[in-house]
């Protein structure tokens, strides 16, 4: 029996403008099929009813997903006042109502209370695990779900428009773990009303912005012209905030074998000057640097005590590994 083709070794990032009414998993599968890639993942789930930036990693780029997940995100969303649904979006059923329609001045007055580090209870229809089960699975089965408040960071929250008494449009810049649907609920309660999200679009994820994005139809058209690779960004695109260390071909060969390399005093000082506090997935990555050969990622590692120790090696073809 012939072995099933598992796809090609395609490496890089695709910044997808996810369409409405598609899950993030479905979007990843669609992009993977277009490129016939053997490995794919995404950085930050978008609800099916949301549109906008969904960074999709192919091949070795999947190793950099945690760095993108930690980046700030910007959302534009519309809240409908007077109704709260069980899902806190337009897909759910109405479970509470209010006759209060907040005025612009009242809305703007409460916004400072929702910036900085705040406590937020996630929606019960979320992917958070409760005793090993997804909260949304428990909620759909009719079980009572209680989630604890968690600390999140809201860098900015702005009222963009009040198109009519029933709706308000906001733009929010936030850190990891923030839920827009929960923000709509809490804003409404602070204003003596009820509310839920009726439109949601993500504009920024870390260093990825809307201007770099492409649609599925656009990708398919490019693939039909054998030009899909034009939408592919380099693996290291997600690592722009990590100090870079230029290395030789011989050093690249050693790193690929898991061996550490010695840093020149000048290199050690430069990396030390660029060092900053950085937590990724709960781990201290303050000493992390990206070793590159001719601008291409070779390995992520820690620069300590005059040496660079590889932590994660990228299995990418390098043309200069034979050079000393």
């Amino acid at each position: 029996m012939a072995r099933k083709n598992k796809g090609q070794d395609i490496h890089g990032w695709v910044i997808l403008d996810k369409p409405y009414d598609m899950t993030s998993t479905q979007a990843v599968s669609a992009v993977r099929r277009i490129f016939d890639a053997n490995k794919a993942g995404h950085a930050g789930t978008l609800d099916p009813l949301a549109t906008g930036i969904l960074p999709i990693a192919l091949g070795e780029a999947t190793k950099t997903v945690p760095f993108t997940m930690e980046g700030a995100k910007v959302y534009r969303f519309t809240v409908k006042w007077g109704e709260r649904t069980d899902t806190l979006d337009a897909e759910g059923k109405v479970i509470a109502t209010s006759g209060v329609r907040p005025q612009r001045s009242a809305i703007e007055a409460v916004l400072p209370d929702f910036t900085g580090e705040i406590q937020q209870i996630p929606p019960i229809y979320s992917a958070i695990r409760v005793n090993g089960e997804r909260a949304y699975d428990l909620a759909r089965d009719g079980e009572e779900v209680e989630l604890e408040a968690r600390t999140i960071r809201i860098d900015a929250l702005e009222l963009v428009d009040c198109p009519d008494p029933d709706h308000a449009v906001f733009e929010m810049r936030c850190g990891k773990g923030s839920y827009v649907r929960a923000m709509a609920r809490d804003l409404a309660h602070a204003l003596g009303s009820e509310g839920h999200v009726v439109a949601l679009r993500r504009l920024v994820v870390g260093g990825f912005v809307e201007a770099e994005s492409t649609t599925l139809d656009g990708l398919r058209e490019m693939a039909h012209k054998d030009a899909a690779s034009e939408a592919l960004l380099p693996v290291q695109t997600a690592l722009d905030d990590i100090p870079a260390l230029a290395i030789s071909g011989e050093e690249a060969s050693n790193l690929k074998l898991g061996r550490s390399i010695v840093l020149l005093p000048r290199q050690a000082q430069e990396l030390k000057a660029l060092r900053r506090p950085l937590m990724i997935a709960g781990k201290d990555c303050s000493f992390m640097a990206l070793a590159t050969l001719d601008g291409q990622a070779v390995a992520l590692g820690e620069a300590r005590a005059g040496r660079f120790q590889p932590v994660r090696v990228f299995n990418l073809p390098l043309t200069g590994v034979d050079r000393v």
Side-chain angles (χ1 to χ4, degrees), residues 204-215:
V204 175
V205 177
F208 299 128
V209 297
E210 192 175 20
E212 297 175 328
S213 67
T214 184
T215 64

Side-chain angles (χ1 to χ4, degrees), residues 46-240:
L46 267 183
D47 292 338
L49 303 187
T51 65
I53 301 300
L54 181 66
I56 295 178
L58 300 178
E60 291 296 281
T62 57
K63 296 178 179 179
T64 68
V65 165
F67 293 86
T68 299
M69 296 283 285
E70 295 292 335
K73 301 172 180 65
V74 177
Y75 296 92
R76 178 167 290 204
F77 60 99
T78 301
V79 176
K80 181 179 180 180
W81 306 118
E83 295 179 345
R84 173 161 51 97
T85 66
D86 54 357
T87 59
L88 300 179
D89 62 20
E91 189 176 38
K93 62 180 181 180
V94 176
I95 58 173
T97 61
S98 170
V100 176
R101 300 296 183 269
Q103 299 293 313
R104 175 183 285 271
S105 58
I107 297 171
E108 291 176 336
V110 302
L111 294 184
D113 296 336
F114 291 90
T115 55
E117 286 197 348
I118 65 171
Q119 294 292 301
Q120 184 186 74
I121 299 175
I124 60 172
Y125 282 86
S126 63
I128 293 173
R129 290 192 179 274
V130 180
N131 297 324
E133 300 287 338
R134 297 290 188 185
Y136 55 65
D137 287 331
L138 296 173
R140 286 168 185 159
D141 289 341
E143 296 189 32
E144 186 172 337
V145 180
E146 289 188 12
L147 300 177
E148 295 183 358
R150 52 179 59 188
T151 302
I152 61 169
R153 189 188 78 250
I154 306 297
D155 298 316
L157 181 61
E158 176 188 359
L159 176 62
V160 176
D161 190 20
C162 293
D164 57 60
D166 290 328
H167 298 87
V169 182
F170 298 88
E171 195 162 294
M172 180 174 78
R173 182 178 182 86
C174 58
K176 181 182 178 182
S178 305
Y179 284 89
V180 174
R181 289 175 291 139
M183 177 61 73
R185 174 200 64 203
D186 296 343
L187 278 171
H189 286 172
L191 292 161
S193 185
E194 298 289 354
H196 67 277
V197 174
V198 292
L200 172 60
R201 181 168 179 79
R202 189 158 65 188
L203 308 176
V204 175
V205 177
F208 299 128
V209 297
E210 192 175 20
E212 297 175 328
S213 67
T214 184
T215 64
L216 278 177
D217 286 342
L219 274 178
R220 292 186 181 108
E221 184 176 347
M222 293 171 72
H224 182 69
K225 298 177 180 177
D226 208 20
S229 60
E230 294 179 9
L232 203 59
L233 300 178
V235 167
Q236 62 265 32
T237 305
L239 305 173
D240 285 347

